[in-house]
Every structure is written in structure tokens, then in C-alpha cells.
Amino acid sequence: MKKRGLALLLTLALACAGSVSPVSAETTAQTPVTTDTKTDTTTEPARFVLAPSGISKTKSGSLVIADRTHQVVRVRNKNGEYRVLAGTEGLGGYKNGSAKKALFNAPWDVVPYKDGWLVSDSENHVLRLCLDARVTTVAGTGKSGYKNATGKKAQFNRPTGMAVGSNGEVYIADTGNHVIRKIDKNGKVTTYAGSKKGCSDGTLKTAKFYEPTGLYYYKGALYVADSGNHRICRIEKGKVTTVAGSAKGIEGDKNGSALKARLSNPQDIILYKNEMYISDTGNACVKKLSNGKVTTLISAFSMGDGREPAEPCGLMIQGGKLYIGDIFTEELIELEL
């Protein structure tokens, strides 16, 4: 696994699709800045700080964001204004109850579930539900483990990415257990795909993953960012197949035909109009799979300042824009598609 951080940026080449026009990250209201004299003041935009590892959307056009660094779930409305939906800003822990007083420990992703929002509370090893201004535990004991059961008797090991299926069931990347789990509307948790740590295609029971992270459900198939194996898989009709990156788990940074392309620790994926967008986190870029070929859509130098996206993670498409959550620079990047 490649090291994260600014040193990674020095190895990247400039690459950006010509049809994509970057838009600067969010800003909040103007903040006064005092100079040397008491009478001279000026204003500058104060950037809103967040670490979006998982992003969902509402029917009204708002974004719901799991901010894993700052330990909260946020809502961003269509005007770019933010509010905290649940959690206590900057304070980690494990506490249910009032949404304002609830505590999370590295909330990773958020998806709709049972008229509320399901949160993968990764370091607490549980799934939480935000509903009616309250937070409850839906599944998991609070300790890492691996057990299929209903509700609080089930066990996970660092649940991260999630995706909602066609019947309201939710698929969960059980990252520490190297499998894909599923929870139904009644809270029953089962293993959907994967067996033990490794790298191989196959049936649901024989396929092997290594730290799967991002999930996306699209047209009857579940797509998996198999992060530790540096590949993207598709699960369809009971079979797991590599669709991008190395089927043998080889890391790299190479564009080209899907199976000859190389990725590094992809964290999230999203499909839109039959094209796939990939947070190629270890390579500090977002890549695109279209017509069987992988290309670089945006890299750390393509915004012009040699900085973002440094560690792209959560992805969402809303209103013709691709939103990229950069958990290193703590920005939400917008790209016109």
C-alpha cells in the first residue's frame, strides 16, 4: 500500500479530461481578518472543513455526508449550506440517544434505511440509524468480530462502504473481515459474498477480497472497490468478476484497457450513464472507466495548485456534477460532467 500525504503528490503526472471543468470547493460566509492597524480590516472566504468519506443524496437535492475525521454526519443543502445531522463535532466515542449528543467513532458512509439514515460507524464496528433526531444501534455489538445474526447480536470488523439494493436491503463492506455483508429491513445480517482474505473471482462463497471498501448498486449488480487488491469487482448473478484493475491484485498507476489498467487502493465508485468513476485514492486521482478503457479524470495537479485531490474518497453525482470528498485536504470538490 502506498503511503498517503504530500510526498505522494510529487510522483503524480498532470492529467485531466478536457470536457471537465473544475469548480472550487465550498466556502462559508465571509470572515473578517485583522491587519497590523486597528482600523484596517478585510474579508476572505473561510473554507468549510470536512472529511467526506461517504456521500449520499436526498430527493430534494441535498447531500448527506459522513465526516469521518470530525465524527459527525452532515447535511449540505442545494445552497451549499451545512448543518450537523447527528454527532458531536470533533468528539469521538460511542453513545446513542439525541442526535445532537450522539457520539460516533470514524463514521464512514451513510445511506437511506427505514425512513432514516444508516451510518457505518467503522471504529465502533456497528451500524447506527439516524431517525427522528435520535441515533440508535441497528446492528453490531460495539466490539470487532464476525458473526451473522439479527441486530445487536451480529458482529462486524470495521464496516465502511454501503449500498442500497433493489428491495431496500443494504450491502456493507465489512473491511476488516474481507467480506461483503447484507442487512435486511428486519435487521438480519448475513454474509453476501467473500470467504477469507485473498484475491480471486468466483462464486459468492468462493471469491476472495482484501479490505473491500466502496460499494455501489447499479442495474441489478453490486460493484466493489476491493481496495487492498487494487481492483474493482462486479457481483452479478451469483458471480464475482474483476472489471477494472488487476485480477491478481497488482498495484500501480496505469491507464488503458480495463483489466490491464492499474489502480492503487481505490476507496469508492459510482456509476452514471453506464460510465464508472473511481476514487483511485493511492494514486491521488479519480479515474473513469468508459467503453472498456480507464482514463484519469482529475489528478492532484489538474486543479492548478498541485494539491487536490490528494486523498479522494467519497463520490456522489447530483445535478450533473460529480462531488469528490477529499479526506486529506478536507474539501468537497465539484466537477461539471
Side-chain angles (χ1 to χ4, degrees):
M1 181 179 292
K2 293 186 178 180
K3 292 182 180 180
R4 306 283 188 267
L6 293 175
L8 176 63
L9 303 182
L10 300 177
T11 66
L12 299 175
L14 174 62
C16 182
S19 60
V20 177
S21 128
V23 179
S24 25
E26 309 289 341
T27 58
T28 57
Q30 299 277 307
T31 301
V33 178
T34 304
T35 62
D36 294 8
T37 67
K38 294 181 180 180
T39 57
D40 292 336
T41 61
T42 185
T43 59
E44 64 179 16
R47 183 172 61 82
F48 191 87
V49 178
L50 72 163
S53 54
I55 309 172
S56 193
K57 62 183 179 180
T58 69
K59 293 180 180 178
S60 65
S62 296
L63 298 180
V64 184
I65 301 168
D67 186 343
R68 93 171 184 231
T69 299
H70 301 98
Q71 312 288 6
V72 296
V73 178
R74 304 186 192 274
V75 176
R76 174 193 179 277
N77 67 21
K78 291 186 293 185
N79 297 322
E81 300 167 335
Y82 290 84
R83 65 180 176 87
V84 173
L85 177 68
T88 304
E89 186 88 40
L91 182 61
Y94 185 19
K95 182 181 179 181
N96 288 320
S98 165
K100 292 183 178 180
K101 296 182 179 180
L103 298 178
F104 298 94
N105 192 0
W108 189 286
D109 203 2
V110 55
V111 294
Y113 179 74
K114 296 176 69 170
D115 298 322
W117 295 99
L118 190 67
V119 181
S120 54
D121 193 3
S122 63
E123 294 302 322
N124 281 325
H125 314 288
V126 295
L127 303 181
R128 316 277 291 279
L129 180 66
C130 302
L131 177 63
D132 297 331
R134 296 190 65 80
V135 174
T136 57
T137 297
V138 171
T141 64
K143 295 182 179 180
S144 64
Y146 184 19
K147 183 178 180 181
N148 289 320
T150 299
K152 295 181 181 180
K153 294 182 179 180
Q155 286 186 307
F156 302 91
N157 186 357
R158 288 190 297 117
T160 56
M162 299 186 292
V164 180
S166 57
N167 296 314
E169 73 278 17
V170 176
Y171 299 94
I172 307 108
D174 192 0
T175 304
N177 285 322
H178 313 289
V179 296
I180 310 301
R181 310 286 288 280
K182 182 172 73 172
I183 184 169
D184 66 16
K185 293 180 179 179
N186 298 317
K188 182 180 180 180
V189 176
T190 56
T191 298
Y192 177 66
S195 51
K196 58 182 179 180
K197 182 173 69 175
C199 183
S200 64
D201 294 340
T203 66
L204 296 179
K205 291 185 178 181
T206 62
K208 296 177 183 178
F209 303 98
Y210 181 25
E211 296 189 345
T213 307
L215 301 179
Y216 194 75
Y217 190 85
Y218 186 73
K219 294 185 176 181
L222 181 68
Y223 291 82
V224 182
D226 190 10
S227 184
N229 283 323
H230 318 292
R231 64 175 181 160
I232 307 300
C233 301
R234 180 179 62 236
I235 305 177
E236 188 175 28
K237 297 179 180 179
K239 293 184 179 181
V240 178
T241 307
T242 302
V243 296
S246 169
K248 296 181 179 180
I250 301 171
E251 183 179 16
D253 185 4
K254 180 182 177 182
N255 293 329
S257 61
L259 296 181
K260 291 183 179 181
R262 295 293 177 261
L263 308 172
S264 177
N265 306 117
Q267 298 283 299
D268 203 8
I269 43 179
I270 191 167
L271 285 91
Y272 178 68
K273 295 183 178 180
N274 295 319
E275 295 179 324
M276 179 188 295
Y277 299 87
I278 304 167
S279 278
D280 193 10
T281 310
N283 287 320
C285 65
V286 173
K287 294 193 175 182
K288 178 180 176 180
L289 173 60
S290 180
N291 296 320
K293 292 185 178 181
V294 173
T295 56
T296 300
L297 181 70
I298 177 175
S299 71
F301 292 113
S302 54
M303 294 292 277
D305 59 4
R307 185 179 63 168
E308 58 186 7
E311 197 170 354
C313 191
L315 298 176
M316 181 50 60
I317 293 176
Q318 176 78 302
K321 294 180 180 179
L322 173 65
Y323 290 87
I324 306 165
D326 191 331
I327 58 178
F328 183 83
T329 63
E330 297 188 320
E331 293 177 293
L332 188 63
I333 301 166
E334 299 179 26
L335 293 180
E336 296 281 355
L337 295 180

Coordinates of all heavy atoms in Angstrom, one line a residue, residues 146-201:
Y146 N -16.9 -11.3 13.9 CA -17.5 -11.8 12.7 C -18.6 -12.8 13.0 O -18.4 -13.9 13.3 CB -16.5 -12.4 11.8 CG -17.0 -12.9 10.4 CD1 -18.2 -12.4 9.9 CD2 -16.3 -13.8 9.6 CE1 -18.6 -12.7 8.6 CE2 -16.7 -14.2 8.4 CZ -17.9 -13.6 7.9 OH -18.3 -14.0 6.6
K147 N -19.9 -12.3 13.0 CA -21.0 -13.1 13.4 C -22.2 -12.7 12.6 O -22.6 -11.5 12.6 CB -21.3 -13.1 14.9 CG -22.4 -14.0 15.4 CD -22.5 -13.9 16.9 CE -23.6 -14.8 17.4 NZ -23.8 -14.7 18.8
N148 N -22.9 -13.7 12.0 CA -24.2 -13.4 11.3 C -25.3 -13.6 12.4 O -25.3 -14.7 13.0 CB -24.4 -14.3 10.1 CG -23.5 -13.9 9.0 OD1 -23.3 -12.8 8.7 ND2 -22.9 -14.9 8.3
A149 N -26.1 -12.6 12.5 CA -27.2 -12.7 13.5 C -28.1 -11.5 13.2 O -27.9 -10.7 12.2 CB -26.7 -12.6 14.9
T150 N -29.1 -11.3 14.1 CA -30.0 -10.2 13.9 C -29.7 -9.1 14.9 O -29.4 -9.4 16.1 CB -31.5 -10.6 14.1 OG1 -31.8 -11.6 13.1 CG2 -32.4 -9.5 14.0
G151 N -29.7 -7.9 14.5 CA -29.5 -6.7 15.3 C -28.2 -6.7 16.1 O -27.1 -6.9 15.5
K152 N -28.3 -6.4 17.4 CA -27.1 -6.2 18.2 C -26.3 -7.5 18.5 O -25.3 -7.5 19.2 CB -27.5 -5.6 19.5 CG -28.1 -4.1 19.3 CD -28.4 -3.5 20.7 CE -29.0 -2.1 20.4 NZ -29.4 -1.5 21.7
K153 N -26.8 -8.6 18.0 CA -26.1 -9.9 18.2 C -25.1 -10.1 17.1 O -24.2 -10.9 17.2 CB -27.0 -11.1 18.3 CG -27.9 -11.0 19.6 CD -28.8 -12.3 19.6 CE -29.6 -12.3 20.9 NZ -30.5 -13.5 20.9
A154 N -25.2 -9.4 16.0 CA -24.3 -9.5 14.8 C -23.0 -8.8 15.2 O -22.9 -8.0 16.1 CB -24.9 -8.9 13.6
Q155 N -21.9 -9.2 14.4 CA -20.6 -8.5 14.7 C -20.0 -8.2 13.3 O -20.1 -8.9 12.3 CB -19.7 -9.4 15.5 CG -20.1 -9.5 17.0 CD -19.0 -10.3 17.7 OE1 -18.7 -11.4 17.4 NE2 -18.5 -9.7 18.8
F156 N -19.3 -7.1 13.3 CA -18.5 -6.6 12.2 C -17.1 -6.3 12.6 O -16.8 -6.1 13.8 CB -19.1 -5.3 11.6 CG -20.6 -5.4 11.2 CD1 -21.6 -5.2 12.1 CD2 -20.9 -5.8 9.9 CE1 -22.9 -5.3 11.7 CE2 -22.2 -5.9 9.5 CZ -23.2 -5.7 10.4
N157 N -16.2 -6.1 11.6 CA -14.9 -5.6 11.8 C -14.6 -4.5 10.9 O -14.3 -4.7 9.7 CB -13.9 -6.8 11.7 CG -12.5 -6.4 12.0 OD1 -12.2 -5.2 12.4 ND2 -11.5 -7.3 12.0
R158 N -14.8 -3.2 11.3 CA -14.6 -2.0 10.5 C -15.5 -2.0 9.3 O -15.0 -2.0 8.2 CB -13.1 -1.8 10.1 CG -12.2 -1.4 11.3 CD -10.8 -1.0 10.8 NE -10.1 -2.1 10.1 CZ -9.8 -2.1 8.9 NH1 -10.0 -1.0 8.1 NH2 -9.1 -3.1 8.3
P159 N -16.8 -1.9 9.5 CA -17.7 -1.7 8.3 C -17.4 -0.3 7.7 O -17.3 0.7 8.4 CB -19.1 -1.8 9.0 CG -18.9 -1.4 10.4 CD -17.5 -1.9 10.8
T160 N -17.4 -0.3 6.4 CA -17.1 1.0 5.7 C -18.2 1.3 4.7 O -19.3 1.8 5.0 CB -15.7 1.0 5.1 OG1 -15.6 -0.1 4.2 CG2 -14.6 0.9 6.2
G161 N -17.9 1.1 3.4 CA -18.8 1.5 2.3 C -20.1 0.7 2.4 O -20.2 -0.5 2.8
M162 N -21.2 1.3 1.9 CA -22.5 0.7 1.9 C -23.2 1.0 0.6 O -22.9 2.0 -0.1 CB -23.4 1.1 3.1 CG -22.8 0.8 4.4 SD -23.9 1.2 5.8 CE -24.0 3.0 5.7
A163 N -24.2 0.2 0.2 CA -25.0 0.4 -1.0 C -26.4 -0.2 -0.7 O -26.5 -1.3 -0.2 CB -24.4 -0.2 -2.2
V164 N -27.4 0.5 -1.2 CA -28.8 0.0 -1.1 C -29.2 -0.8 -2.3 O -29.1 -0.3 -3.4 CB -29.8 1.2 -0.9 CG1 -31.2 0.7 -0.7 CG2 -29.3 2.1 0.3
G165 N -29.7 -2.0 -2.1 CA -30.2 -2.8 -3.2 C -31.6 -2.5 -3.6 O -32.2 -1.6 -3.1
S166 N -32.1 -3.3 -4.5 CA -33.4 -3.0 -5.2 C -34.6 -3.2 -4.3 O -35.6 -2.6 -4.5 CB -33.5 -3.9 -6.4 OG -33.4 -5.3 -6.1
N167 N -34.4 -4.0 -3.2 CA -35.5 -4.2 -2.3 C -35.4 -3.6 -0.9 O -36.0 -3.9 0.1 CB -35.7 -5.7 -2.1 CG -36.1 -6.4 -3.4 OD1 -37.0 -5.9 -4.1 ND2 -35.5 -7.5 -3.7
G168 N -34.5 -2.6 -0.8 CA -34.3 -1.9 0.4 C -33.2 -2.5 1.3 O -32.9 -2.0 2.4
E169 N -32.7 -3.7 0.9 CA -31.6 -4.2 1.7 C -30.3 -3.4 1.5 O -30.2 -2.7 0.6 CB -31.3 -5.7 1.3 CG -30.6 -5.9 -0.1 CD -31.6 -5.8 -1.3 OE1 -32.7 -5.3 -1.1 OE2 -31.1 -6.2 -2.4
V170 N -29.4 -3.5 2.5 CA -28.2 -2.7 2.4 C -27.0 -3.6 2.5 O -26.9 -4.5 3.3 CB -28.1 -1.7 3.6 CG1 -26.7 -1.0 3.6 CG2 -29.2 -0.7 3.6
Y171 N -26.1 -3.4 1.5 CA -24.9 -4.2 1.4 C -23.8 -3.4 2.2 O -23.7 -2.2 2.0 CB -24.5 -4.4 0.0 CG -25.5 -5.3 -0.8 CD1 -26.5 -4.6 -1.6 CD2 -25.5 -6.6 -0.7 CE1 -27.4 -5.4 -2.2 CE2 -26.4 -7.4 -1.4 CZ -27.4 -6.7 -2.2 OH -28.3 -7.5 -2.9
I172 N -22.9 -4.1 2.9 CA -21.9 -3.4 3.7 C -20.5 -4.0 3.4 O -20.4 -5.3 3.4 CB -22.2 -3.6 5.2 CG1 -23.6 -3.2 5.6 CG2 -21.2 -2.9 6.1 CD1 -24.6 -4.3 5.9
A173 N -19.6 -3.2 3.2 CA -18.2 -3.7 3.0 C -17.6 -3.9 4.5 O -17.4 -2.9 5.2 CB -17.3 -2.6 2.3
D174 N -17.5 -5.1 4.8 CA -17.0 -5.5 6.2 C -15.5 -5.6 6.0 O -14.9 -6.7 5.9 CB -17.6 -6.8 6.7 CG -17.4 -7.1 8.1 OD1 -16.7 -6.2 8.8 OD2 -17.8 -8.1 8.6
T175 N -14.9 -4.4 6.0 CA -13.5 -4.3 5.6 C -12.5 -5.2 6.3 O -11.7 -5.9 5.8 CB -13.0 -2.8 5.7 OG1 -14.0 -2.0 4.9 CG2 -11.7 -2.6 5.1
G176 N -12.6 -5.2 7.7 CA -11.7 -6.0 8.5 C -11.8 -7.5 8.4 O -10.9 -8.2 8.6
N177 N -13.0 -7.9 7.9 CA -13.3 -9.3 7.7 C -13.1 -9.7 6.3 O -13.3 -10.9 6.0 CB -14.7 -9.7 8.2 CG -14.8 -9.7 9.7 OD1 -13.9 -10.2 10.4 ND2 -15.9 -9.2 10.3
H178 N -12.9 -8.8 5.4 CA -12.6 -9.1 4.0 C -13.8 -9.7 3.2 O -13.6 -10.5 2.3 CB -11.4 -10.0 3.8 CG -10.2 -9.5 4.7 ND1 -9.5 -8.4 4.4 CD2 -9.7 -10.0 5.8 CE1 -8.6 -8.2 5.3 NE2 -8.7 -9.2 6.2
V179 N -15.0 -9.3 3.7 CA -16.2 -9.9 3.0 C -17.2 -8.8 2.8 O -17.1 -7.6 3.3 CB -16.9 -11.0 3.9 CG1 -15.9 -12.2 4.0 CG2 -17.3 -10.5 5.3
I180 N -18.3 -9.1 2.1 CA -19.4 -8.2 1.9 C -20.6 -8.8 2.7 O -21.0 -9.9 2.5 CB -19.8 -8.1 0.4 CG1 -18.6 -7.7 -0.5 CG2 -20.9 -7.0 0.2 CD1 -17.9 -6.5 -0.1
R181 N -21.2 -8.0 3.5 CA -22.3 -8.4 4.4 C -23.6 -7.8 3.8 O -23.6 -6.8 3.0 CB -22.1 -8.0 5.8 CG -20.8 -8.4 6.4 CD -20.6 -9.9 6.7 NE -21.4 -10.3 7.8 CZ -21.0 -10.1 9.1 NH1 -19.9 -9.5 9.4 NH2 -21.7 -10.6 10.1
K182 N -24.7 -8.2 4.3 CA -26.0 -7.7 3.9 C -26.9 -7.6 5.1 O -26.9 -8.5 6.0 CB -26.6 -8.5 2.8 CG -28.0 -8.0 2.3 CD -28.5 -8.8 1.1 CE -28.9 -10.2 1.5 NZ -29.6 -10.9 0.3
I183 N -27.7 -6.5 5.3 CA -28.7 -6.4 6.3 C -30.0 -6.1 5.7 O -30.1 -5.3 4.8 CB -28.3 -5.3 7.3 CG1 -29.3 -5.2 8.5 CG2 -28.1 -3.9 6.7 CD1 -28.9 -4.3 9.6
D184 N -31.0 -6.9 6.1 CA -32.4 -6.7 5.5 C -33.2 -5.7 6.3 O -32.7 -5.1 7.3 CB -33.1 -8.0 5.4 CG -33.4 -8.7 6.7 OD1 -33.4 -8.0 7.7 OD2 -33.7 -9.9 6.7
K185 N -34.4 -5.5 6.0 CA -35.2 -4.5 6.6 C -35.6 -4.8 8.1 O -36.0 -4.0 8.9 CB -36.5 -4.2 5.8 CG -36.3 -3.6 4.5 CD -37.6 -3.4 3.7 CE -37.4 -2.7 2.4 NZ -38.7 -2.6 1.6
N186 N -35.4 -6.1 8.4 CA -35.7 -6.6 9.8 C -34.4 -6.6 10.6 O -34.5 -7.1 11.8 CB -36.3 -8.0 9.7 CG -37.6 -8.0 9.0 OD1 -38.5 -7.1 9.2 ND2 -37.9 -9.0 8.2
G187 N -33.3 -6.1 10.1 CA -32.1 -6.1 10.9 C -31.3 -7.4 10.9 O -30.3 -7.5 11.6
K188 N -31.6 -8.3 10.0 CA -30.9 -9.6 9.9 C -29.6 -9.4 9.1 O -29.7 -9.0 8.0 CB -31.8 -10.7 9.4 CG -31.1 -12.1 9.3 CD -32.0 -13.1 8.7 CE -31.3 -14.5 8.7 NZ -32.2 -15.5 8.1
V189 N -28.5 -9.8 9.7 CA -27.2 -9.6 9.0 C -26.7 -11.0 8.5 O -26.7 -12.0 9.3 CB -26.2 -9.0 9.9 CG1 -24.8 -8.9 9.3 CG2 -26.6 -7.6 10.4
T190 N -26.3 -11.1 7.2 CA -25.8 -12.3 6.6 C -24.6 -11.9 5.8 O -24.3 -10.8 5.5 CB -26.8 -13.0 5.7 OG1 -27.2 -12.0 4.7 CG2 -28.0 -13.4 6.5
T191 N -23.8 -12.9 5.5 CA -22.6 -12.7 4.6 C -23.1 -12.9 3.2 O -23.7 -13.9 2.8 CB -21.5 -13.7 4.9 OG1 -21.0 -13.5 6.2 CG2 -20.3 -13.6 3.9
Y192 N -22.9 -11.9 2.3 CA -23.4 -11.9 0.9 C -22.3 -12.5 0.0 O -22.6 -13.3 -0.8 CB -23.7 -10.5 0.5 CG -24.2 -10.4 -0.9 CD1 -25.3 -11.1 -1.4 CD2 -23.4 -9.7 -1.9 CE1 -25.7 -11.0 -2.7 CE2 -23.8 -9.6 -3.2 CZ -24.9 -10.3 -3.6 OH -25.3 -10.2 -4.9
A193 N -21.1 -12.1 0.1 CA -20.0 -12.5 -0.8 C -18.7 -12.5 -0.1 O -18.4 -11.6 0.8 CB -20.0 -11.7 -2.0
G194 N -17.8 -13.4 -0.4 CA -16.4 -13.5 0.1 C -16.3 -14.6 1.1 O -17.3 -15.1 1.7
S195 N -15.1 -15.0 1.2 CA -14.8 -16.2 2.1 C -13.7 -15.8 3.1 O -13.9 -15.5 4.3 CB -14.4 -17.4 1.3 OG -13.3 -17.1 0.4
K196 N -12.4 -15.7 2.7 CA -11.3 -15.3 3.5 C -10.4 -14.4 2.7 O -10.6 -14.2 1.5 CB -10.5 -16.5 4.0 CG -10.0 -17.4 2.9 CD -9.2 -18.6 3.5 CE -8.7 -19.5 2.4 NZ -8.0 -20.6 3.0
K197 N -9.5 -13.7 3.4 CA -8.6 -12.7 2.7 C -7.9 -13.4 1.6 O -7.3 -14.4 1.7 CB -7.6 -12.2 3.8 CG -6.7 -11.1 3.2 CD -5.9 -10.5 4.2 CE -4.8 -11.4 4.8 NZ -3.9 -10.7 5.8
G198 N -7.9 -12.6 0.5 CA -7.2 -13.1 -0.7 C -7.6 -12.3 -1.9 O -8.2 -11.2 -1.8
C199 N -7.4 -12.8 -3.1 CA -7.7 -12.1 -4.3 C -8.1 -13.1 -5.4 O -7.2 -13.8 -6.0 CB -6.6 -11.3 -4.8 SG -6.9 -10.3 -6.3
S200 N -9.4 -13.3 -5.6 CA -9.8 -14.2 -6.6 C -11.3 -14.0 -7.0 O -12.1 -13.6 -6.1 CB -9.7 -15.7 -6.2 OG -10.5 -16.0 -5.1
D201 N -11.6 -14.2 -8.2 CA -13.0 -14.2 -8.7 C -13.6 -15.5 -8.3 O -13.0 -16.4 -7.8 CB -13.1 -13.9 -10.2 CG -12.6 -12.5 -10.6 OD1 -12.6 -11.6 -9.7 OD2 -12.3 -12.3 -11.7

